[in-house]
């Protein structure tokens, strides 16, 4: 087996898009650069700030699958877990995940942005389930 022909680790398929919850599918789509991330909303603003931070201060480039891909890549799955942990108030675990993605000095800010994003997505889903795409 040759390791030269394998996908980079961040793009490795680790799941199925359809098996994710609607909120998690929405987060993966934001991570992939879905058009709703460019809309004029609090979710788009926070997602944009978090993604910009992950890209500008990342330990390595984060990889995504195409917008219509039915797979979930490793980096996409980590992003969903990271946002979920932060939104649940598990800041220590979220910080550990952030440290794997970004430099240490920006990890606390990344956790705060992830917490805000996760709470906004959950609130939107709770208030208006149809407002979260991918239902």
């Amino acid at each position: 087996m040759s390791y030269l022909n394998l996908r980079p680790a961040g793009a490795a398929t680790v799941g199925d898009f359809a098996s994710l919850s609607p909120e998690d599918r929405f987060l993966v789509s934001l991570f992939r650069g879905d058009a709703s991330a460019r809309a004029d909303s609090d979710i788009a603003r926070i997602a944009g700030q978090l993604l910009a931070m992950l890209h500008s201060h990342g330990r390595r480039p984060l990889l995504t699958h195409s917008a219509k891909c039915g797979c979930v890549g490793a980096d996409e799955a980590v992003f969903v877990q990271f946002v979920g942990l932060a939104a649940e108030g598990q800041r220590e675990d979220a910080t550990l995940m952030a440290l794997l993605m970004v430099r240490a000095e920006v990890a606390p800010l990344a956790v705060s942005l992830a917490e805000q994003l996760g709470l906004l997505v959950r609130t939107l889903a709770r208030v208006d389930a149809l407002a979260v795409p991918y239902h």
Side-chain angles (χ1 to χ4, degrees):
M1 179 167 155
S2 172
Y3 291 100
L4 298 176
N5 297 328
L6 296 177
R7 280 185 176 176
T13 299
V14 297
D16 180 43
F17 188 79
S19 67
L20 297 174
S21 71
E23 293 86 2
D24 290 350
R25 288 194 301 266
F26 183 62
L27 287 170
V28 169
S29 296
L30 287 174
F31 188 74
R32 290 178 178 178
D34 186 272
S36 59
R38 294 185 294 274
D40 185 26
S41 69
D42 289 339
I43 288 177
R45 184 177 50 77
I46 299 296
Q49 290 174 351
L50 177 58
L51 293 172
M53 176 179 291
L54 294 176
H55 291 294
S56 64
H57 299 288
R59 295 189 174 279
R60 64 169 176 77
L62 297 177
L63 304 173
T64 64
H65 286 221
S66 69
K68 300 297 181 192
C69 184
C71 301
V72 176
D75 286 345
E76 295 166 340
V78 167
F79 179 75
V80 169
Q81 277 296 118
F82 171 55
V83 171
L85 286 170
E88 291 169 4
Q90 297 182 33
R91 293 187 65 82
E92 295 84 8
D93 290 340
T95 300
L96 288 173
M97 289 189 81
L99 289 169
L100 296 172
M101 294 185 288
V102 295
R103 295 191 325 253
E105 64 269 14
V106 297
L109 181 54
V111 171
S112 292
L113 289 169
E115 180 180 29
Q116 291 175 53
L117 178 60
L119 292 172
L120 284 168
V121 169
R122 287 180 181 180
T123 300
L124 180 64
R126 207 172 300 126
V127 171
D128 183 3
L130 296 178
V132 176
Y134 312 105
H135 248 278

